[in-house]
Amino acid sequence: MKIFTDKLPLRSALVTGLALGSLSVQAQKIDELYNQKIREYTTDARFLPASVLNLPDDPKIPSPLKHFGQIVGTPGVIHRTPEIYGYYQKLAQTSPNISVQQVSTTEEGRPIQLVVIGSEDAMKRLDHYKKQLALLADPRKVGSQDVEKILGDTKLVYYLNGGLHSPEMGSPEMLMELAYRLVTSQSPEIKTIRDNIIVLINPVSEPDGWDKQVDWYNRYTKGRKEYDDGFPKSPPYWGKYTYHDNNRDGLQASQELTKALYKIFYEWHPTASLDLHESVPLLYISTGTGPYNETIDPITIGEWQIMAHHDITTLASQGVPGVFTWAFYDGWYPGYALWISNNHNAVGRFYETFGNAGANTYLRDLAEQKYAGDPATTKEWYRPVPPTEKVYWSYRNGINYMQAGVLASLSYGATNSRLLLKNFYQKGLNNIKKGTEETPRAFVIPKNQRDPAMAAYLVNQLRTQAIEVHQAESGKNKGDYVVLLNQPYRNLAVSLLTKQNYPKEAKFPPYDDIAWTLGYLYGVDVKAEDSVNYVPSELKLLSENVNYAGTMEGEGTNYVLNYKAQTNVLPALLWLKGQSKQAKAVVLDTKATFGGLKDTLSAGAVVFKGLTGDQAKKLAAQFGLDLQATKAEPMGVGSPLRQHEVTLPRVAIYHSWYNTQDEGWARYTFEQRGIPYMSINKDHLKAGDLRKKFDVILIPRMRGTSTNFIHEIDKRFGPLPYTRTPEFPSHGFPDASSDITGGPGFDGVDKLKQFVEQGGVLVTLDNSSLMVAEAGITRDLDEVAAPTLFHPGSIVTVKNRRPDSPVMYGFPEIFPIFRGIAPLLQTKKHNRDMMLMQYGTKPLKDEEEYKGLIMGMPDKKPAKEAKATPKKEDPYVVSGMVRNEQTIIGHGGIFNVPVGSGRVIAFTFDPLHRYLNHHDAPLLWNVLINWNHLDTPPVSATADTETPNRANSPVIKTGDN
């Protein structure tokens, strides 16, 4: 329309916004049928903000109604990703204001696409604006250029993320309607958005899970009449590996959807991002209760507040109830998808809209819902208009709320774009200033490490975060990696490489993990330096990822690895298996030395045999392991040498059908390490003969109780197939069953117990250890009541009680592990040898030596004890926070429990937590390496003496443990 071109006469430009709005309605035809359907599908006029009405009826560009035959939000209608992407392609074919590009591909082969919306002029200059934003992202590149001039020639990019959590089904549909509105509407509000900013839309950020969820809805939940009837609201899997934790992958960047988010950010540098979720009533706009992340720039905290209150005010002006901020989430953990923005000097926000996990309408009861201690139905400073205790909530209601909120957010961005861009630039400057003027000035990752391959991995993970890393190419510290902190992402480097100090006095519980110090999680020594002790000419900025190639020294055909629980040892053993029939590996089960080698090797050292020199060099280089070649044979130190040949096990990873989150992380970790496994479920347990098929069965962490473990999804909902069919093609992956209800039952659990009794090794992680104990597979583990213990995900100190146990090989006496909220288990006192590792360094009270009088025995004169300075105990909390930690100290972290001819190795934490705590994972790899040699000798038999013993004993090869 000519009246809305950029060449408005001065008289027209002075017309009030209200008059302009009136003119635009008159000038542009409104789709009254669309309006009628919106009103029809909205259950209450108060749930209908005015801003979502009056969608244009464009003669050339198809609306969702014209394209699909129904409006967005039609009851019972949800589209798969090909249909959604097809609609955007149609918009791009008919409008110059929108384009579509593929960013990447998911694990299951579906495209991840990005939609770009802007004015016609902006769409022609996208590359220019990308370059301008890249300049603002790194103030060092601005140099002597006029910042104000750059700001004046830069467009703010606002990123919208949809469909991350698959059962939250509003955003992928809503965003189609929003996109049509943004490219067609000539209202002043929409035109301001289109002219002033560029909008990016990721329509379905988890396409694999979305298609599974749409099929699940059409197959099962579309006909459900009650929301809270106990029926599963989503399929057992979303992505190939991750479920809800797909929004906890920001630090790992392991999943394809996360890699796509990083790719989008680094290409576009969106100044503001909004992640669209569904959960709490009726619309939560993120700020969080705090405590806020210690390293986040105060500007960002201010932006969270002002943008949230702008949105609340905008919606309040439209009479919309149930919109609130503050009382949900905290703002501490930096690993969410939206924190890609916050960590990189942009502003990341999210919405939680009330949703029904589909396109149904339900009567929802809010009476029992509380957030930050307040009912969801009370008027508060942060909730100006509360909802009633019950709401009749439709699919369209949620779409109305979400779209009205997004429009408010985009309007704020459009009218404050220069301020947000300037803040973006200023935050980069603040980082550089802090790195120059405050301490620490640098982080050093020394060349000499327990596991140099993990040090290289840490460097690469920092580079994934766009943190600059240098390497010393000369000088006395040649080979060190150095993170100089006078860089734009200095705060993020500090966050990742220093300990977290979560306040014990925090009023509300944290939303997620509270510690993530990567040096501890990866087992890498990282030093904070208050001064830079390197000559600039010695340092070279890394421009590509690094790899540690292990070394081989000496001569001979025995290739010795000083085992320090290096992450790549198990993959190396698997590689060895395929080299030749003569190739083998032997684990030394006592301290040992080799003639000609200066080091005394702790128990767990590995000797590779039957390799050629070239094969040994390849093993060292490929897996980052330092080997010493020798012709000598090992000699025991302190006791006769014991050793055993490695025979790698047949491994199964068990999954339930009601909770697959952590099983997915386990599968992902195994595949990343190249460890073969078979995925099994309840049907395999019920079929029996497990010992004929497997040597080790791993049960990753699962939520719930033994009842959930035994019975899983209620059989009253069965049969419930999860199988691929022509009608539901996304189902049946990554596993399938003709009926996912009922669980293994008592018979399946009994057959799992038979597997152990017949010589199998059952490994249980975290809560699964309690479930297995409660199910009766072992009777030697009891739950410890600790009602006052509060242990959110933190890095804590543990003690190696049995260094002679193969499970503990490679670990020192005291070391850190990651532990979250999990049950505590313990054995009776006479079985404490089963406890391989304990929390903290102090013993339990019943293990302390009794020094008092004993009735019935002669009194002993107290021996004179030399006054010694009390040993300073290592603090339990290394990073994070634990309340009432005294209730866990001394209790068991890992148990080795014999059951028949086999055993249960029970962890009371998760060594495979979200592909993060790589330092802890070798505790599990030790079980697999030594699965048939886990029976440690009595403590007295391994006590050190002063006399070395030469190895004349044969290699032990055992078939049972």
Side-chain angles (χ1 to χ4, degrees):
M1 302 293 176
K2 288 185 178 179
I3 193 170
F4 292 107
T5 64
D6 291 335
K7 298 180 179 179
L8 284 170
L10 178 61
R11 182 176 55 185
S12 296
L14 297 175
V15 177
T16 65
L18 181 61
L20 278 172
S22 175
L23 284 172
S24 70
V25 171
Q26 294 174 12
Q28 189 173 29
K29 184 181 178 182
I30 299 303
D31 191 332
E32 293 299 345
L33 179 58
Y34 212 109
N35 267 353
Q36 176 189 329
K37 289 297 180 182
I38 290 175
R39 290 189 175 97
E40 179 183 342
Y41 301 148
T42 300
T43 61
D44 191 308
R46 289 168 290 186
F47 299 154
L48 181 51
S51 59
V52 304
L53 286 169
N54 296 334
L55 208 65
D57 184 3
D58 193 279
K60 295 180 180 179
I61 305 170
S63 69
L65 174 59
K66 289 180 180 177
H67 184 78
F68 293 115
Q70 307 100 357
I71 75 163
V72 165
T74 298
V77 177
I78 305 178
H79 303 93
R80 293 190 182 105
T81 53
E83 300 169 284
I84 292 172
Y85 291 156
Y87 178 65
Y88 285 109
Q89 292 289 353
K90 193 67 175 178
L91 291 181
Q93 292 166 11
T94 53
S95 170
N97 300 119
I98 183 171
S99 66
V100 182
Q101 63 189 63
Q102 182 167 335
V103 178
S104 62
T105 304
T106 69
E107 287 84 355
E108 296 179 26
R110 294 179 178 86
I112 297 175
Q113 297 195 347
L114 183 69
V115 176
V116 185
I117 297 174
S119 67
E120 285 190 53
D121 177 69
M123 297 299 288
K124 295 173 184 175
R125 303 182 72 211
L126 293 179
D127 288 340
H128 169 75
Y129 293 128
K130 289 180 189 178
K131 291 176 182 177
Q132 295 291 87
L133 286 162
L135 270 180
L136 295 177
D138 187 352
R140 297 169 302 180
K141 295 178 181 178
V142 173
S144 60
Q145 298 180 65
D146 185 349
V147 175
E148 293 300 321
K149 185 176 179 181
I150 296 172
L151 291 170
D153 190 26
T154 304
K155 288 222 182 251
L156 180 139
V157 173
Y158 209 124
Y159 172 78
L160 305 175
N161 195 67
L164 182 58
H165 284 162
S166 303
E168 301 167 13
M169 301 193 76
S171 60
E173 298 283 330
M174 181 279 292
L175 287 167
M176 290 191 288
E177 185 175 294
L178 175 72
Y180 174 77
R181 185 186 301 275
L182 292 178
V183 301
T184 60
S185 177
Q186 296 298 330
S187 74
E189 296 82 7
I190 300 302
K191 194 168 184 300
T192 298
I193 294 170
R194 193 167 58 241
D195 288 347
N196 289 0
I197 66 176
I198 296 165
V199 179
L200 303 182
I201 297 176
N202 188 339
V204 189
S205 55
E206 170 52 297
D208 295 341
W210 176 260
D211 282 354
K212 291 187 186 77
Q213 180 70 35
V214 173
D215 281 357
W216 186 265
Y217 174 72
N218 287 322
R219 192 173 192 173
Y220 295 122
T221 60
K222 183 188 287 190
R224 311 299 301 183
K225 302 302 181 184
E226 301 289 334
Y227 180 79
D228 293 314
D229 64 358
F231 189 86
K233 294 178 175 59
S234 73
Y237 299 99
W238 297 353
K240 181 178 180 181
Y241 301 110
T242 55
Y243 200 71
H244 189 274
D245 270 3
N246 64 10
N247 195 24
R248 303 297 187 275
D249 189 43
L251 302 184
Q252 311 92 305
S254 66
Q255 306 301 296
E256 291 303 322
L257 71 87
T258 315
K259 294 173 185 176
L261 298 180
Y262 274 100
K263 185 177 180 181
I264 293 167
F265 187 88
Y266 293 145
E267 180 180 352
W268 290 89
H269 295 97
T271 313
S273 299
L274 184 59
D275 194 9
L276 301 172
H277 288 269
E278 295 180 15
S279 63
V280 299
L282 295 175
L283 174 62
Y284 169 74
I285 299 171
S286 66
T287 52
T289 60
Y292 291 145
N293 184 289
E294 296 170 290
T295 61
I296 204 71
D297 193 293
I299 296 173
T300 300
I301 295 173
E303 289 171 329
W304 292 340
Q305 315 306 319
I306 195 169
M307 294 170 86
H309 287 283
H310 169 271
D311 294 357
I312 287 176
T313 303
T314 302
L315 293 172
S317 72
Q318 299 177 69
V320 177
V323 182
F324 73 108
T325 187
W326 182 74
F328 182 76
Y329 165 77
D330 53 3
W332 179 265
Y333 185 64
Y336 310 109
L338 70 99
W339 273 73
I340 294 172
S341 296
N342 291 322
N343 290 336
H344 295 90
N345 299 330
V347 55
R349 311 168 60 230
F350 71 96
Y351 283 176
E352 295 283 354
T353 310
F354 205 40
N356 289 336
N360 293 2
T361 300
Y362 294 117
L363 180 64
R364 301 289 300 276
D365 190 345
L366 314 182
E368 301 302 317
Q369 297 202 34
K370 289 188 174 184
Y371 304 97
D374 299 325
T377 54
T378 59
K379 185 173 183 177
E380 308 290 343
W381 67 265
Y382 55 84
R383 187 192 298 112
V385 186
T388 52
E389 286 193 1
K390 290 189 178 182
V391 294
Y392 192 54
W393 195 253
S394 71
Y395 188 42
R396 182 67 214 191
N397 291 353
I399 286 167
N400 292 343
Y401 268 61
M402 192 183 299
Q403 186 173 180
V406 171
L407 287 169
S409 290
L410 295 179
S411 293
Y412 180 86
T415 55
N416 295 275
S417 59
R418 191 181 185 91
L419 172 64
L420 290 170
L421 288 168
K422 192 168 186 178
N423 287 349
F424 179 55
Y425 172 76
Q426 185 63 48
K427 284 182 266 188
L429 276 181
N430 292 350
N431 274 263
I432 295 167
K433 184 177 180 182
K434 277 177 170 283
T436 304
E437 299 178 356
E438 299 182 12
T439 57
R441 297 287 176 83
F443 292 103
V444 175
I445 303 170
K447 178 180 69 173
N448 295 322
Q449 295 281 344
R450 176 192 66 87
D451 189 351
M454 283 309 300
Y457 177 80
L458 171 57
V459 168
N460 296 338
Q461 288 299 97
L462 295 174
R463 295 191 70 256
T464 297
Q465 299 289 342
I467 293 169
E468 295 174 352
V469 184
H470 290 74
Q471 186 170 27
E473 292 196 312
S474 59
K476 64 179 181 179
N477 295 313
K478 181 180 178 181
D480 289 356
Y481 296 109
V482 183
V483 180
L484 302 176
L485 291 177
N486 56 343
Q487 59 172 297
Y489 303 137
R490 173 264 180 198
N491 289 353
L492 178 56
V494 172
S495 175
L496 297 178
L497 297 176
T498 59
K499 65 176 291 189
Q500 280 67 58
N501 300 290
Y502 192 88
K504 276 193 174 183
E505 66 276 8
K507 186 175 180 181
F508 304 107
Y511 195 70
D512 207 87
D513 293 340
I514 59 174
W516 52 85
T517 313
L518 295 187
Y520 294 127
L521 292 177
Y522 296 174
V524 176
D525 181 24
V526 180
K527 299 182 183 299
E529 301 288 353
D530 290 344
S531 59
V532 180
N533 299 313
Y534 297 82
V535 178
S537 61
E538 296 174 351
L539 299 178
K540 180 182 179 181
L541 179 64
L542 296 176
S543 58
E544 57 185 22
N545 281 351
V546 298
N547 178 61
Y548 179 76
T551 62
M552 191 181 79
E553 298 178 351
E555 294 182 358
T557 55
N558 287 333
Y559 303 101
V560 182
L561 173 70
N562 189 1
Y563 185 58
K564 300 287 183 65
Q566 296 94 327
T567 301
N568 286 339
V569 172
L570 180 53
L573 292 168
L574 289 160
W575 175 87
L576 178 78
K577 188 177 177 182
Q579 296 311 296
S580 70
K581 292 182 179 179
Q582 291 74 34
K584 64 180 180 180
V586 173
V587 173
L588 307 183
D589 294 303
T590 52
K591 286 183 180 181
T593 60
F594 285 80
L597 302 185
K598 62 180 181 179
D599 294 330
T600 297
L601 305 173
S602 299
V606 181
V607 184
F608 297 97
K609 296 172 174 283
L611 292 174
T612 66
D614 287 341
Q615 287 174 325
K617 288 177 182 177
K618 184 175 181 181
L619 183 150
Q622 184 171 330
F623 298 99
L625 302 173
D626 294 329
L627 303 180
Q628 293 178 297
T630 179
K631 298 175 183 177
E633 294 297 324
M635 297 182 296
V637 175
S639 62
L641 181 76
R642 291 180 294 109
Q643 55 187 331
H644 69 277
E645 185 177 333
V646 175
T647 306
L648 293 172
R650 301 164 298 166
V651 180
I653 299 178
Y654 179 78
H655 75 82
S656 71
W657 287 108
Y658 77 94
N659 184 229
T660 62
Q661 177 60 81
D662 294 287
E663 174 269 345
W665 283 119
R667 284 188 289 109
Y668 180 80
T669 305
F670 271 60
E671 290 178 24
Q672 291 300 300
R673 301 291 177 223
I675 304 169
Y677 70 91
M678 179 176 174
S679 181
I680 63 172
N681 59 50
K682 65 181 181 67
D683 299 329
H684 297 87
L685 298 197
K686 290 193 287 188
D689 284 334
L690 295 168
R691 186 66 189 91
K692 293 180 181 179
K693 304 166 189 173
F694 309 112
D695 303 307
V696 177
I697 296 177
L698 170 67
I699 305 182
R701 173 172 54 192
M702 285 189 283
R703 62 174 172 81
T705 65
S706 57
T707 299
N708 302 113
F709 177 67
I710 296 167
H711 302 297
E712 296 189 22
I713 299 170
D714 199 319
K715 289 192 74 170
R716 67 191 169 99
F717 298 125
L720 196 62
Y722 181 69
T723 52
R724 183 176 182 177
T725 69
E727 191 177 1
F728 308 111
S730 69
H731 286 183
F733 186 83
D735 198 5
S737 175
S738 59
D739 184 10
I740 63 174
T741 70
F746 293 109
D747 182 55
V749 171
D750 185 60
K751 286 174 178 174
L752 181 61
K753 185 176 182 180
Q754 291 174 24
F755 161 80
V756 184
E757 291 174 334
Q758 292 165 7
V761 176
L762 180 63
V763 184
T764 57
L765 308 183
D766 201 280
N767 189 60
S768 297
S769 296
L770 174 61
M771 293 194 295
V772 163
E774 288 180 336
I777 292 175
T778 173
R779 300 180 63 182
D780 289 318
L781 292 175
D782 301 309
E783 185 175 12
V784 176
T788 63
L789 177 66
F790 183 59
H791 204 304
S794 297
I795 299 165
V796 296
T797 299
V798 296
K799 182 178 181 180
N800 181 353
R801 290 172 61 111
R802 295 297 305 270
D804 57 339
S805 167
V807 179
M808 303 307 299
Y809 284 170
F811 286 87
E813 181 185 12
I814 308 296
F815 59 94
I817 58 110
F818 181 90
R819 187 187 198 272
I821 294 174
L824 273 182
L825 299 176
Q826 192 51 272
T827 64
K828 300 293 190 293
K829 186 178 178 181
H830 64 270
N831 279 333
R832 291 288 160 78
D833 276 357
M834 296 178 185
M835 183 166 41
L836 308 180
M837 189 198 86
Q838 69 165 67
Y839 296 108
T841 57
K842 294 181 180 178
L844 289 171
K845 191 170 182 62
D846 68 359
E847 293 180 354
E848 293 177 354
E849 182 184 358
Y850 177 73
K851 296 182 179 180
L853 298 175
I854 302 175
M855 289 183 178
M857 294 185 70
D859 293 346
K860 292 182 179 180
K861 292 183 179 180
K864 289 186 178 181
E865 297 181 3
K867 289 186 178 180
T869 304
K871 180 185 176 184
K872 187 178 180 181
E873 295 288 340
D874 294 89
Y876 178 63
V877 177
V878 178
S879 183
M881 182 278 295
V882 176
R883 291 192 190 126
N884 297 309
E885 62 190 53
Q886 71 279 1
T887 59
I888 189 174
I889 290 173
H891 283 296
I894 306 175
F895 298 90
N896 182 348
V897 184
V899 178
S901 298
R903 58 195 63 245
V904 174
I905 305 295
F907 291 73
T908 59
F909 64 100
D910 185 0
L912 302 181
H913 179 66
R914 295 176 175 168
Y915 200 63
L916 261 174
N917 52 337
H918 300 291
H919 165 269
D920 306 344
L923 291 161
L924 174 57
W925 308 151
N926 281 348
V927 178
L928 302 187
I929 293 169
N930 304 285
W931 71 275
N932 55 357
H933 197 75
L934 295 174
D935 49 338
T936 54
V939 173
S940 59
T942 60
D944 283 351
T945 66
E946 296 299 321
T947 306
N949 293 272
R950 186 169 297 277
N952 292 319
S953 57
V955 170
I956 300 170
K957 294 180 67 174
T958 53
D960 297 310
N961 41 48

